[in-house]
């Protein structure tokens, strides 16, 4: 149980294009999902908290117009990196929370912007 | 300000021996702590957690100890196995944080056969 599916696992795109990443909780409902970013050899940095049916809450320093988050259902949240640039290249990870305090993570998406 | 710290970036241990990973926190509002295991290019996998009302939680080979007065927790893995080689993150949360996790910097564990 508690499986979180994240797709795609790896994406390469040209600078200026937009990329959408999907995060699905497969066997539970998640009112809250989270999006993280991890730079090489660093810890996970929370980007935003995604709440079903409402606007996402972004952490300080994260551009909400750059990283669009939609949480349309209790099992799906999407992150769209708009007008991606090479500095957006990173490892993006989502998590879903079925219970308070517990988060289950997706496998991550490696984004490479050329 | 790093609220959760893992001061040992790496740890090497012989197969069969005990691995002890440490984590310190500064925010006294944290009341729930978790350990995750992560392989490269994969998402973290939940290992074990502990509430602040407890000082120990055990699950198979994994035991987490919490010392609230010292704001310190540790993860013991015994016996260590080569498959345990990964990066381990401790994380903390609290009601005041709205269920958000704050992660430590991670400790890379290498278990040598």
């Amino acid at each position: 149980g508690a499986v979180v599916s994240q797709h795609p696992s790896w994406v390469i795109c040209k600078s200026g294009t937009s990329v959408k990443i999907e995060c699905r909780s497969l066997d539970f409902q998640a009112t809250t999902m989270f999006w993280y970013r991890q730079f090489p050899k660093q810890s996970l940095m929370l980007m935003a908290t995604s709440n079903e049916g409402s606007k996402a809450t972004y952490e300080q320093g994260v551009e909400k117009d750059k990283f669009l988050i939609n949480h349309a259902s209790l099992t799906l949240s999407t992150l769209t990196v708009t007008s991606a640039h090479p500095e957006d290249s990173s490892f993006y990870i989502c998590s879903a929370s079925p219970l308070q305090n517990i988060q289950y993570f997706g496998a991550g998406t490696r984004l490479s912007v050329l | 300000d790093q609220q959760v710290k893992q001061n040992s970036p790496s740890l090497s241990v012989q197969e069969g021996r005990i691995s002890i990973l440490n984590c310190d926190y500064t925010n006294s509002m944290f009341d729930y702590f978790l350990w995750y295991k992560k392989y490269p290019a994969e998402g973290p996998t939940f290992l074990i957690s502990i509430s602040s009302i407890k000082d120990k939680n055990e699950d198979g080979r994994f035991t987490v100890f919490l010392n609230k007065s010292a704001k310190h927790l540790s993860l013991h893995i015994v016996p260590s196995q080569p498959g345990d080689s990964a990066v381990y993150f401790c994380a903390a949360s609290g009601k005041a944080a709205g269920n958000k996790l704050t992660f430590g910097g991670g400790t890379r564990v290498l278990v040598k056969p």
Side-chain angles (χ1 to χ4, degrees):
Chain A
V3 177
V4 176
S5 173
Q6 187 173 339
H7 177 81
S9 58
W10 188 26
V11 57
I12 303 174
C13 70
K14 292 182 180 180
S15 185
T17 60
S18 295
V19 174
K20 180 185 282 189
I21 303 169
E22 289 190 351
C23 181
R24 293 180 185 271
S25 57
L26 296 186
D27 49 3
F28 64 94
Q29 294 184 329
T31 306
T32 306
M33 290 185 174
F34 301 86
W35 288 95
Y36 295 82
R37 184 172 179 175
Q38 185 184 26
F39 292 101
K41 297 184 178 180
Q42 293 190 23
S43 187
L44 283 75
M45 299 299 297
L46 179 66
M47 298 174 64
T49 302
S50 169
N51 296 296
E52 187 266 338
S54 64
K55 290 183 179 180
T57 304
Y58 290 82
E59 295 299 301
Q60 191 173 7
V62 178
E63 300 175 57
K64 60 181 179 181
D65 295 329
K66 173 76 170 176
F67 300 99
L68 298 179
I69 291 173
N70 182 274
H71 194 156
S73 76
L74 287 171
T75 59
L76 174 64
S77 177
T78 61
L79 167 69
T80 301
V81 183
T82 62
S83 186
H85 290 284
E87 58 266 27
D88 299 323
S89 298
S90 191
F91 192 61
Y92 294 88
I93 309 174
C94 73
S95 72
S97 181
L99 299 169
Q100 188 174 7
N101 293 316
I102 299 291
Q103 293 183 28
Y104 295 100
F105 287 81
T109 297
R110 180 160 303 283
L111 171 63
S112 298
V113 185
L114 304 177
Chain B
D1 177 32
Q2 213 172 347
Q3 297 187 64
V4 179
K5 289 184 180 179
Q6 294 175 252
N7 291 317
S8 296
S10 63
L11 171 69
S12 182
V13 65
Q14 204 67 36
E15 180 180 6
R17 306 295 290 269
I18 184 171
S19 294
I20 300 177
L21 292 82
N22 294 301
C23 180
D24 297 294
Y25 62 96
T26 57
N27 190 337
S28 58
M29 299 300 289
F30 289 142
D31 59 14
Y32 200 84
F33 305 90
L34 308 92
W35 283 95
Y36 285 88
K37 175 182 179 180
K38 186 180 183 300
Y39 294 114
E42 293 185 13
T45 302
F46 170 72
L47 279 176
I48 192 169
S49 63
I50 188 167
S51 164
S52 61
I53 63 174
K54 294 185 175 181
D55 54 17
K56 177 183 176 182
N57 188 25
E58 189 173 354
D59 184 2
R61 296 187 297 117
F62 303 95
T63 303
V64 55
F65 296 91
L66 175 62
N67 183 333
K68 282 189 297 183
S69 61
K71 293 190 176 67
H72 176 84
L73 64 151
S74 61
L75 174 68
H76 291 205
I77 306 173
V78 55
S80 300
Q81 300 173 352
D84 296 330
S85 297
V87 178
Y88 290 79
F89 291 96
C90 70
S93 74
K95 291 178 184 176
N99 202 22
K100 293 193 292 187
L101 293 179
T102 300
F103 282 86
T107 297
R108 182 175 301 278
V109 173
L110 174 63
V111 180
K112 295 184 280 188

